[in-house]
Structure formats: structure tokens, C-alpha cells
């Protein structure tokens, strides 16, 4: 099983699902030079959002801790700990802030 | 032209004097008057009531009652060490010992009392003391060194306290009381008997019904014993007189003010003396009801009365009750109201259990009004009963004295008290005023309740709204300490198991959160060897729990780069190792800084550089400095005896030993420590979670200090320890802290929160009162035996190393957004200046 992310050029293979630790993330370098943070939750579902922390400018969201709030998964930024919903990209601690999300899927390795 | 301000001169800066100044400040009088204070003692007002706690580790500063900056803020001139010697009432001037003359418009006498020393032969011999001031304590402490026994003359409240203090100094202690029972003023015969049993069971010798006839001296002229009125002679190395106090009214007598027959400056209900320009308050005053009060609460009320009178406000002081609760460790004694049943027709309700040394008596009127009582051996209900005095209790009196379970169906709670019940008698604060607050801190700040003798604190706690959910976070209904117990006793090593088995129902099956994950991670890590879990924090599921810093074994800095911090135990480092650090920093372009904890931090490493940097450091013999985890950081040291001409012990060796012993120990908060080689304290050990200061005969251990945002001086836990004793105590202290502290709770806040405070901590870790110490030591022994360096292990494992890449899909590529610019010959992060808190647009 691999994890794939949708970018302008189509589905981009990021890594093997088995190389992701449930509850933690990794960063992926995208063709346009931007970065995505890719996570897998306890149930094995993958998520992908932008890697840049909008509060500090650093590209670090992939290194935050994953949790569940109100039944939905989020990641807490490792710098100042704001939480971002992994499905919508919305910041749970500041209504006006949203990070981008990427469609993501797992695919059977051919 | 402006009129000169009217002048108030206060003589005596004791507890009541200080309270008077505060009362003036609260009423705005400090702005409209010039105020001068003459103080005989070398220090401003301190808490005499808690004087004895000086022997259990409180410092003179802890006892201070004068808020920092108070005098300056209110423009009060305080003259220390300069007592008033003469009052000229005609000219309205006071002359002090240094010869200064102070004119006054209003004079306030708050000179307190002096200890009465019976006129027995030998009473002035070296080795005779009184018990009133900090200076008295210092003198007793000094004299008691290398001496074996002591005696207290007087078995009243103060005498028992002094006896407890002597025993605490390691002296075999006896009490000689003239009356047929101990605490004759406060307790009745039955109570005295129960008290006697308890005191004797503590190892003190008590002689009642005998007087002291003579203090016997040895060949050197120092105290060697006492001859008693029954003809017997007892040996003792020192004698403390605590046979009552007498008001200090000499100044008043000399200037012709009215004084009572048996002493005390006579005042009216407004605390005015026979001269309308002069007030007297506190223990020097003879109140309108013909009494001289030797307690602080009535003194405070007089201070308020005198301050009100100055403003023409109606307030009268006509008397106060004599409620007291003894603060002696191990003896619970309280008496309140009409304890002796002096009211005509009053009835006694008594419960006595001589096996357990419990004696409780309530005095009630025929129509059921509670008049007073005596509690010995179990004074828990004092805080509740005292405010009920004067009213008909909502339950039958016998239910108030019977122990729980013995026909006591309803437990009387503070909710039963009427709104106007006075809960804090020191500061005259009612239930209503307390109920208006939310926290104890707020109560203390807004009403002062609980800041006097402290006996009301328990009831105040029961009156405050019950702290709502104490749970760690949205996922767990337990505190960190409770979770620790669950993990320890059930031997759980899997976060998912813990969450699904013990989490809140709505959180089970989920991913937890950023609060409980690292907390559980830390608990499992600190218990790992004992639970049989892998000690390596990045193994398996543990890896997902760690805070991001632990995850990469490095500290993330603001641009997403990391710092590298090798351990330098005790701050001692060889030239060769220094050179390696320099070379590594140069080769990887890192910013270097020597830190406050005596290490060298290297900043600006990218994730993918971490393994290569650490490979070189580990090769050169460095270990992880744990700058990332909630763990022991450093044990700082001064150069100590080896190099320093003042040093009395080898502080460097001790610091290294301690740092190596506790390295890697996961705790609720990071831990810091230091060791100083002598009392000059160059390593600043008293600002650490645990600090060690060398003495000529060993080590003093201080705990609960911290620098940071709310600095706190550490408290002295134990003195003159040997190397082995020191290590054993620190083992116990750290493990007890790890076990019971809240998440992210520093030792300082933990210690302040701990019920019973430092005394309780000392009971647990020094005297093993909970029988826990063997277990705590075993836990630490496990930790020490299983320590492995995290970086050395990581480097040996290719699987683990795979994590250290910037991009999962481009392992070789560094993160292009991590950039640096030069500053002062080194690098700093290249980041737009960010406003912390708001998003970067
Ligand atoms: C060990 C101990 C335990 C106690 N426990 C309790 C308790 O549990 N509950 C309770 O209610 N009370 C207790 N007390 C009593 C309580 O401390 C006193 O009631 C209270 O301190 C009285 O305050 P004060 O200001 O009147 O006198 P003090 O606090 O004695 O202050 C008087 C000050 O005036 C100074 N002074 C005297 N003459 C002059 C002069 N000519 N010029 C300048 N300064 C002068 C003295 O040096 C002193 O500093 C205890 C006392 C002691 C010693
Ligand atoms: S604390 Fe004492 S021994 Fe250590 S450096 Fe300072 S003066 Fe010397
Ligand atoms: S009763 Fe003494 S502090 Fe409240």
C-alpha cells in the first residue's frame, strides 16, 4: 500500500503506508516546491495538509502530534501548539486561519 | 503654602503594628499623614505566631509579614534597631535610643509583651533563654549545638511549642509546669490528661504540679540542671522560660499614662489611652474588658479599631474570644469560647477515648447554644465549631463530638453555618465574604482570611466552589498523579490500551490529544524498567506519543531547525572535548552559545544533519544532554573545595555524580539542579528544583526552587547529610514528585500545592511516614541501572535513523525553507519577523 496525494499533475506517490507511524506525520516535497504534511491516524486513514505553520512561518506541521477532538482528527503545531483539523484545514484555536488540504488516498502498489 | 502633614508615630513594629500600618494604608491615611515607625528589633515585622516553623526550615524571610515595597509605596519611614526611649507628652515628642527626636500628632504604642522570667536563682546563667523573637531562636539554636538536653519552664501553649522546637533540635526535652495539667488556660482536666498522654508518647518528659526553684550551674558557670519544688533535681543543658508574658508598658508608665494594676496600658473601647493623642494596641494594651490579650486576632481587631477611630469612624473593641489551636506537629489541640464552662448553668457534652488520646468537650447553654469547647487529639472540627459558637448548632451536640460512624449519622459540613458566621477569627472574615470568592488565593488576597494562624484554611477550602473537572484533558477524567498510579499498578505499557480502558467514553477509540499523549509517554518512560517496557523512548507505539522534541531527540527552534546539546556533567569539560564541539559547530555551520546551565548549545541543525552531528559527538564520548525532554537538564556546579579557597566540599564531583545518576529521568517538568561548595552559593543552588550546598559537616539539601517567570527560593529539606544520605533523599524526593505532580507542574508549584507543604514532604521522604520510601528508592535504582544513551542507540539502528529526513519522498534533499543569515560572526534564522499569536499572511 502506498499513500498518494493529488497535485496539479495528478496523483503523486508519497511513501509506503507502512513507513508512517500512526499518530505522526511526515513532510513531502511537491513538484512545485511547496510542502505537504501527511499523517495517518490510529485507524489507518491518511490525511494531508500544507506543511507551513501559519502562525510562525516555519514548515513544521508534519512534526506535530495527532489527536482527536469532537470525533475529528487534528494536528497540534509543534511550535506554538495551535491545532488544525486534518480534514478541513481549519484552525481550531483561531477561526480565521485555515491551511490548505490535499486529497489523499491509499493505493495498492502495482 | 501647604500645611505640613499631620504625623503619626508608631512605636513597635510587631504583628499588630504592621497590621495597623496596613489598616492605615487601606483607609488612605498614608496619603494624608506622615508616618514614622520605631522598631526595636533588627528586622521589620514578622510572623511571630509561626516562629517555631523557623526550626523546620522556614527562613527569616519566609516569616516576614511586611510585603516587599510596602514602606516605600506608602511613604512610611521605618527605623530598625532604634527603640523609643522616652515620650514627652507635653511637647508631643518621642526620643529614640539613637537620640533622634520625633514630633507627633498621634502616637500609637504597639510594643507587645516580654516573656516573664520567674525570679529564681541562676535565671541569668549562660544557657537560659526566652522564646519570643527570631534572635531568641538563633541564640537557642547556636547554644543547642553539641548539647544533649533541654528543659522548658511552663507548659502552656508557648511552652509546648518551645518544647517541640527543642526536641526538633535533637535535645532530650522535659517540660516543667506549675499547674496540675498542661495548657491550663486553654484545656480542662480531661483535656489535659489526654494531652499529657500524647505529649509523653512523643518522647517528652512532663512534670506537672511542680515549680522551678533554682537553675543549677556547673563549674563553668553554664546551666547544668534545675532544682524543682518537690526537692528533686534534674539534669539539663539549657532552660527556656515560657512562664507567661507581661505587657511592655514601661514607656507608658514613665510618661504618666494610666496602666492597669497588673500591667497593661489602659485603653477605652476605641483603643485610646488616658491621653487623647495616644493609642495602645495589641499585647501591650489593657482592653476595656480588663484583659490583656496574648493572641494575635484581638490585636488585629484593635489595630482596625484604632485606625477607624482616627477617621472618626465608629468601631469599638470590647473583647474577643480566646480560641486557639496548637500548631505543634503531632498534637492536635484546640479550645474556643467558654472552654471551662464558666457560664452559669452551662452543660458539658464530653467524648473521651483514652486509647487514642482523643478528648472532646463542648459547652452548651440549657437552650442549646454552643458556648465553647476543648478538642484534644482530634481538632479537625475546630474550624467548623468555632464559627458556630453563640448559635444553636443544626444537629445535636453529641453528634458533633462523636467520632464518625459511632451514631453520627449526619456529618456537619460548613454549609450548615449561617452567612454571618466568622470563619477566620484572625481577620474577622465571615462565611459570606469567603463564599464570594472562587479560589483560596482570591480569598487570601481579598479578605486576608487564612493568612493569620491558618487554622481556618480547611473550612475555607470546603466553602469554595468544588474545583470542577480535575481531569488531565478532554480524553482522561484523571489527574496525572492518578494516571501514574493506574499505569503503575496495572502495569500498562500501551497508550491505546490506557485510552480505551481508562479514557473518557467519548475519547475511547480515538487518537487522544497533544496533552495526554506526551504525559502518558512520560509516565511510561519514567516507569519503563519497572513496567518491563522498552526504555527507549522511540520504540513502537511510544514514538507516536513523544512531543516533537523527544521524537527527534533535539529541540525544535523557531525556523524548524534543531539545537544539539551534548551533556557536560557538572560543567566540567576537557580541552579535547571542547575542541570537538568547536570543530563540529564549525563543520556544520552551527551557532554556539554557552548556556546558564553550563553547557554548550549548538543551534541551526536541520533534521537530516542530526545523525551525522551526533555520530561525531558520540564518538568523542558525548551523550545526549536531554535538552529536549521533560527530564533532568543539568546539575550546575561551582569549582568547590578543589580550587576555591572558600570551598568546604568537592562540589564538582558531587554535581557530576548527581547529573550522571539522574540523566534521562523523565519527569512532569524539566528539572534543574546545582551544587555549591560553600554557603557563598556561586552555583545558585537555591533557585533549582533540587539544590545542594556544602557545609563543613556535609551537604544541605534544598528543594522546590526555580528561576523562570515566577522565581522561588528553594526550601531547606535536610541538613548536614553524608554523600549517601544526600543521594538517598534526592532519590526519594524526585520519585515522589514524579509520582504525584500534575502535568507540567514544576517542583515549586507542586510543593506549594502539596497538602501540608514542606512538613508533609519531609515526613514522607525523610521520616517515611507513608512507608513509601523503599519503593521510591527501588524505582530510582531501576532507572539508574537501565539508563542507556538515546543518541548512541539511535545511531546503531538504521530503522530509527530513517526518521531523520526532511522529506519522506526526497530523503537526500534538505529543507530549502530552513535558511540562515549572518549575525555577529555566526548564523541566525532567516525568518520574517513574526508576530507571535497571529497568523502569517
Ligand atoms: C512562639 C509564639 C507562638 C505564638 N502562637 C500564637 C498563636 O498560635 N495564636 C495567637 O493568636 N498568638 C500566638 N502568639 C502570640 C502573638 O505572637 C502575639 O499576640 C502577637 O505577636 C502580638 O503582636 P504585637 O504587635 O502586639 O506584639 P509583638 O509582635 O511582640 O510586637 C511588638 C514589637 O514592639 C517592639 N518594641 C517593644 N518596645 C519597643 C520600643 N520601646 N521601641 C520600639 N519597638 C519596641 C518589640 O521589639 C516587638 O518587635 C505566639 C507568640 C509566640 C512568641
Ligand atoms: S560556592 Fe563557595 S566553594 Fe563554590 S566557588 Fe563559591 S565561594 Fe567557592
Ligand atoms: S483563623 Fe487564623 S488565619 Fe483564619
Amino acid at each position: 500500500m502506498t499513500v498518494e496525494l493529488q497535485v496539479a499533475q495528478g496523483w503523486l506517490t508519497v511513501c509506503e503506508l507502512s513507513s508512517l507511524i500512526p499518530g505522526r506525520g511526515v513532510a513531502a516535497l511537491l513538484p512545485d516546491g511547496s510542502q505537504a504534511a501527511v499523517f495517518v491516524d490510529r485507524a489507518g486513514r491518511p490525511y494531508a495538509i500544507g506543511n507551513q505553520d501559519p502562525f510562525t512561518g516555519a514548515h513544521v506541521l508534519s512534526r506535530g502530534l495527532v489527536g482527536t477532538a469532537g470525533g475529528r482528527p487534528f494536528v497540534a503545531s509543534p511550535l506554538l501548539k495551535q491545532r488544525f483539523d486534518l480534514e478541513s484545514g481549519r484552525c481550531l484555536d483561531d477561526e480565521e486561519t485555515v491551511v490548505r488540504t490535499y486529497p489523499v488516498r491509499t493505493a495498492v502498489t502495482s | 503654602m501647604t500645611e505640613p502633614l499631620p504625623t503619626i508615630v508608631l512605636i513597635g513594629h510587631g504583628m499588630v503594628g504592621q497590621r495597623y500600618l496596613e489598616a492605615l494604608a487601606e483607609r488612605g491615611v498614608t496619603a494624608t499623614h506622615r508616618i514614622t515607625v520605631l522598631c526595636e528589633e533588627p528586622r521589620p515585622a514578622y510572623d511571630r505566631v509561626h516562629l517555631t516553623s523557623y526550626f523546620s526550615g522556614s527562613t527569616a524571610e519566609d516569616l516576614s509579614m511586611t510585603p516587599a515595597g510596602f514602606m516605600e509605596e506608602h511613604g512610611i519611614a521605618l527605623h530598625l534597631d532604634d527603640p523609643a526611649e522616652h515620650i514627652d507628652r507635653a511637647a508631643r515628642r518621642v526620643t529614640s535610643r539613637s537620640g533622634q527626636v520625633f514630633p507627633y500628632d498621634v502616637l500609637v504604642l504597639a510594643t507587645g509583651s516580654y516573656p516573664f522570667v520567674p525570679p529564681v536563682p541562676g535565671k541569668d546563667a549562660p544557657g537560659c533563654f526566652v522564646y519570643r523573637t527570631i534572635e531568641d531562636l538563633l541564640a537557642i539554636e547556636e547554644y543547642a549545638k553539641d548539647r544533649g538536653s533541654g528543659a522548658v519552664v511552663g507548659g502552656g501553649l508557648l511552652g509546648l511549642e518551645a518544647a517541640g522546637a527543642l526536641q526538633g533540635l535533637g535535645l532530650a526535652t522535659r517540660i516543667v509546669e506549675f499547674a496540675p495539667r498542661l495548657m491550663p488556660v486553654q484545656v480542662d482536666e480531661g483535656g489535659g490528661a489526654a494531652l499529657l498522654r500524647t505529649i509523653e508518647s512523643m518522647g517528652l518528659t512532663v512534670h506537672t504540679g511542680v515549680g522551678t526553684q533554682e537553675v543549677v550551674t556547673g563549674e563553668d558557670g553554664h546551666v547544668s540542671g534545675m532544682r524543682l519544688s518537690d526537692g528533686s533535681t534534674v539534669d539539663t543543658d539549657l532552660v527556656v522560660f515560657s512562664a507567661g508574658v507581661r505587657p511592655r508598658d514601661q514607656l507608658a508608665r514613665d510618661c504618666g499614662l494610666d496602666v492597669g494594676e497588673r500591667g497593661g496600658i489602659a485603653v477605652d473601647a476605641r483603643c485610646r489611652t488616658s491621653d487623647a493623642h495616644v493609642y495602645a494596641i495589641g499585647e501591650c494594651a489593657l482592653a476595656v474588658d480588663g484583659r490583656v490579650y496574648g493572641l494575635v486576632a484581638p490585636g488585629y481587631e484593635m489595630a482596625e479599631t484604632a485606625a477607624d477611630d482616627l477617621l472618626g469612624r465608629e468601631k469599638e473593641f470590647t473583647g474577643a474570644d480566646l480560641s486557639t489551636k496548637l500548631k505543634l506537629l503531632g498534637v492536635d489541640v484546640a479550645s474556643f469560647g467558654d472552654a471551662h464552662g464558666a457560664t452559669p448553668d452551662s452543660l458539658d457534652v464530653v467524648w473521651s477515648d483514652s486509647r487514642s488520646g482523643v478528648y472532646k468537650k463542648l459547652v452548651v447553654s440549657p437552650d442549646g447554644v454552643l458556648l465553647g469547647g476543648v478538642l484534644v487529639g482530634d481538632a479537625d472540627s475546630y474550624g467548623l465549631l468555632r464559627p458556630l459558637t453563640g448559635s444553636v448548632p443544626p444537629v445535636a451536640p453529641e453528634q458533633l463530638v462523636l467520632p464518625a460512624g459511632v451514631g453520627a449519622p449526619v456529618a456537619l459540613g460548613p454549609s450548615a453555618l449561617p452567612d454571618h458566621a466568622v470563619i477566620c477569627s484572625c481577620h474577622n472574615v465571615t462565611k459570606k465574604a469567603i463564599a464570594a470568592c472562587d479560589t483560596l488565593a482570591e480569598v487570601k488576597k481579598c479578605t486576608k482570611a487564612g493568612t493569620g494562624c491558618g487554622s481556618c484554611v480547611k473550612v475555607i477550602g470546603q466553602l469554595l466552589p468544588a474545583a470542577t473537572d480535575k481531569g488531565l484533558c478532554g480524553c482522561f477524567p484523571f489527574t496525572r498523579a492518578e494516571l501514574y498510579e493506574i499505569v503503575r499498578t496495572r502495569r500498562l505499557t500501551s497508550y491505546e490500551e490506557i485510552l480505551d480502558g481508562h479514557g473518557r467514553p467519548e475519547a475511547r477509540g480515538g487518537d487522544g490529544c497533544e496533552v495526554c499523549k506526551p504525559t502518558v509517554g512520560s509516565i511510561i518512560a519514567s516507569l519503563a524498567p519497572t513496567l518491563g517496557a522498552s526504555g527507549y523512548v522511540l520504540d513502537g507505539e511510544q514514538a507516536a506519543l513523544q512531543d516533537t522534541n523527544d521524537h527527534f531527540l533535539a529541540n525544535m527552534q523557531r525556523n524548524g531547525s534543531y539545537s544539539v546539546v551534548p551533556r557536560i556533567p557538572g560543567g566540567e569539560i576537557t580541552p579535547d572535548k571542547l575542541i570537538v564541539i568547536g570543530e563540529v559547530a564549525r563543520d556544520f555551520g552551527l551557532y554556539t552559545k554557552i548556556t546558564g546551565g553550563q553547557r554548550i548549545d549548538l543551534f541551526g541543525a536541520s533534521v537530516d544533519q542530526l545523525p551525522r552531528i551526533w555520530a561525531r559527538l558520540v564518538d568523542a564520548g558525548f551523550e545526549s544532554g536531554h535538552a529536549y525532554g521533560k527530564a533532568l537538564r543539568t546539575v550546575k556546579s561551582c569549582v568547590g573545595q578543589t580550587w576555591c579557597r572558600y570551598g568546604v566540599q568537592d562540589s564538582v564531583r558531587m554535581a557530576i555524580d548527581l547529573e550522571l545518576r539522574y540523566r534521562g529521568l523523565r519527569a512532569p517538568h524539566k528539572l534543574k539542579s546545582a551544587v555549591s561548595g560553600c554557603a557563598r552559593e556561586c552555583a545558585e543552588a537555591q533557585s533549582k528544583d533540587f539544590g545542594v550546598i556544602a557545609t563543613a559537616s556535609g551537604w544541605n539539601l534544598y528543594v522546590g526552587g526555580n528561576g523562570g517567570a515566577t522565581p522561588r527560593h528553594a526550601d531547606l529539606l535536610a541538613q548536614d547529610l553524608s554523600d549517601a544520605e544526600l543521594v538517598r533523599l534526592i532519590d526519594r524526593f524526585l520519585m515522589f514528585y514524579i509520582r504525584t505532580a500534575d502535568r507540567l507542574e514544576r517542583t515549586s508549584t507542586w510543593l506549594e500545592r502539596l497538602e501540608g507543604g514542606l512538613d508533609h514532604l519531609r515526613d514522607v521522604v525523610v521520616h517515611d511516614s507513608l512507608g513509601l520510601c523503599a519503593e521510591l528508592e527501588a524505582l530510582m535504582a531501576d532507572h539508574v541501572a537501565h539508563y542507556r544513551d538515546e543518541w548512541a542507540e539511535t545511531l546503531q539502528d538504521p530503522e530509527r535513523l530513517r526518521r531523520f529526513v526532511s522529506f519522506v519522498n526526497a530523503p537526500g534533499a534538505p529543507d530549502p525553507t530552513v535558511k540562515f543569515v549572518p549575525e555577529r560572526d555566526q548564523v541566525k534564522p532567516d525568518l520574517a519577523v513574526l508576530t507571535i499569536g497571529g497568523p502569517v499572511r
Side-chain angles (χ1 to χ4, degrees), chain B residues 386 423-427 449-456:
Chain B
R386 196 187 37 70
I423 303 294
C424 174
S425 62
C426 288
H427 295 279
T451 60
C453 67
S455 64
C456 57

Side-chain angles (χ1 to χ4, degrees), chain B residues 253-339:
Chain B
R253 285 175 193 270
D254 292 346
C255 68
L257 290 172
D258 287 355
V259 294
E261 236 171 75
R262 283 185 292 145
I265 309 167
V267 294
D268 63 12
R270 310 272 186 85
C271 295
R272 282 184 295 214
T273 66
S274 51
D275 176 339
H277 294 278
V278 185
Y279 293 86
I281 55 178
E283 267 188 41
C284 64
L286 174 66
V288 126
D289 63 353
R291 266 181 163 158
V292 172
Y293 287 95
L295 295 173
V296 73
Y300 282 174
E301 223 182 306
M302 291 189 207
E304 303 274 341
T305 305
D308 275 338
D309 192 61
L310 201 62
L311 295 174
R313 294 191 196 161
E314 292 281 326
K315 182 172 191 295
E316 300 205 328
F317 179 87
T318 50
D321 79 334
L322 294 170
S323 308
T324 33
K325 190 169 172 207
L326 189 59
K327 304 170 301 297
L328 241 190
L329 197 76
V331 201
D332 238 0
V333 181
S335 85
F336 58 98
D338 179 8

Side-chain angles (χ1 to χ4, degrees), chain B residues 222-519:
Chain B
H222 287 245
V223 172
S224 66
M226 294 199 300
R227 213 155 45 72
L228 306 180
S229 60
D230 59 5
S232 65
T233 308
V234 294
D235 290 339
T236 185
D237 295 330
L238 69 87
V239 175
V240 175
F241 287 102
S242 178
V245 293
R246 298 281 185 273
R248 291 189 66 174
D249 54 14
Q250 197 58 44
L251 274 176
R253 285 175 193 270
D254 292 346
C255 68
L257 290 172
D258 287 355
V259 294
E261 236 171 75
R262 283 185 292 145
I265 309 167
V267 294
D268 63 12
R270 310 272 186 85
C271 295
R272 282 184 295 214
T273 66
S274 51
D275 176 339
H277 294 278
V278 185
Y279 293 86
I281 55 178
E283 267 188 41
C284 64
L286 174 66
V288 126
D289 63 353
R291 266 181 163 158
V292 172
Y293 287 95
L295 295 173
V296 73
Y300 282 174
E301 223 182 306
M302 291 189 207
E304 303 274 341
T305 305
D308 275 338
D309 192 61
L310 201 62
L311 295 174
R313 294 191 196 161
E314 292 281 326
K315 182 172 191 295
E316 300 205 328
F317 179 87
T318 50
D321 79 334
L322 294 170
S323 308
T324 33
K325 190 169 172 207
L326 189 59
K327 304 170 301 297
L328 241 190
L329 197 76
V331 201
D332 238 0
V333 181
S335 85
F336 58 98
D338 179 8
H340 296 292
T343 315
D345 297 331
S346 64
L347 309 164
D348 290 353
V349 179
V350 178
W351 163 263
S352 167
D353 178 358
S354 42
R355 288 162 308 173
S356 55
V358 173
Y359 175 87
K360 298 182 185 183
K361 180 180 87 172
L362 298 184
V363 179
V364 288
S365 73
D367 48 0
V369 174
L370 179 64
L371 298 173
V374 174
L375 308 169
V376 176
D378 172 12
D380 264 5
S381 50
Y382 168 76
L384 258 171
L385 290 172
R386 196 187 37 70
L388 276 174
T389 314
S391 64
V392 179
V395 299
E398 47 275 22
Q399 287 181 3
L400 296 171
V401 292
L402 286 177
V406 187
V410 277
L412 181 62
S415 53
L417 296 174
D419 271 355
H420 61 263
V422 173
I423 303 294
C424 174
S425 62
C426 288
H427 295 279
N428 214 352
V429 183
T430 60
K431 173 178 166 184
K432 193 166 173 201
I434 287 166
C437 303
D438 287 330
T439 63
L440 181 60
E442 219 177 284
V443 171
K444 287 186 171 172
K445 194 158 159 259
C446 303
T447 69
K448 290 208 166 95
T451 60
C453 67
S455 64
C456 57
V457 170
K458 192 167 169 209
V459 175
I460 294 179
Q462 294 167 341
L463 283 172
L464 295 173
T468 36
D469 198 336
K470 287 212 187 70
L472 183 65
C473 60
C475 309
F476 285 99
F478 303 107
T479 63
R480 181 192 169 281
E482 287 163 346
L483 262 184
Y484 181 101
E485 289 310 311
I486 291 172
V487 170
R488 188 179 66 86
T489 51
R490 306 242 160 148
R491 309 191 137 259
L492 300 173
T493 55
S494 148
Y495 173 78
E496 291 185 1
E497 207 181 312
I498 297 169
L499 179 66
D500 295 351
H502 303 274
R504 299 180 196 266
E506 62 273 22
R508 295 185 182 181
D511 276 85
C513 78
E514 79 283 10
V515 171
C516 56
K517 277 181 160 179
T519 306

Side-chain angles (χ1 to χ4, degrees), chain B residues 136-147:
Chain B
D136 293 337
L137 297 203
L138 295 173
I140 293 173
E141 188 180 39
E142 182 59 36
Y143 194 87
K145 283 184 187 154
D146 337 305
R147 290 195 162 81

Side-chain angles (χ1 to χ4, degrees), chain A residues 12 14-15 19 21-24 26-29 35 41-42 54-60 63 65-68 74 76 78-81 83 94 96-97, chain B residues 496 500 509-512 514 517-518 543-544 546-548 551-552 556-560 562 607 802-803 806-809 815 817 834 836-840:
Chain A
L12 175 78
V14 172
C15 62
S19 63
I21 303 174
R24 287 225 93 100
V26 293
L29 190 57
Q35 302 182 17
D41 69 9
R42 181 176 163 185
F55 292 92
T56 59
H59 290 70
V60 295
R63 296 183 218 150
L65 274 175
V66 172
T68 312
F74 68 84
L79 282 170
L80 302 177
K81 311 286 179 198
R83 295 164 303 157
D94 179 330
E96 300 190 348
T97 306
Chain B
E496 291 185 1
D500 295 351
D511 276 85
E514 79 283 10
K517 277 181 160 179
Q546 305 303 326
D547 247 329
T548 175
H551 196 62
F552 292 101
M556 183 188 281
Q557 305 300 335
R558 61 182 309 158
N559 66 345
Y562 285 90
V607 180
R802 279 200 352 184
R803 166 175 320 150
S806 290
F807 300 109
V808 67
N809 59 343
D815 182 347
T817 65
L834 301 168
I836 305 269
V840 185

Side-chain angles (χ1 to χ4, degrees), chain B residues 94 161 189 260 320 692 784:
Chain B
V94 178
E161 239 182 279
E189 211 174 302
V692 181
V784 174

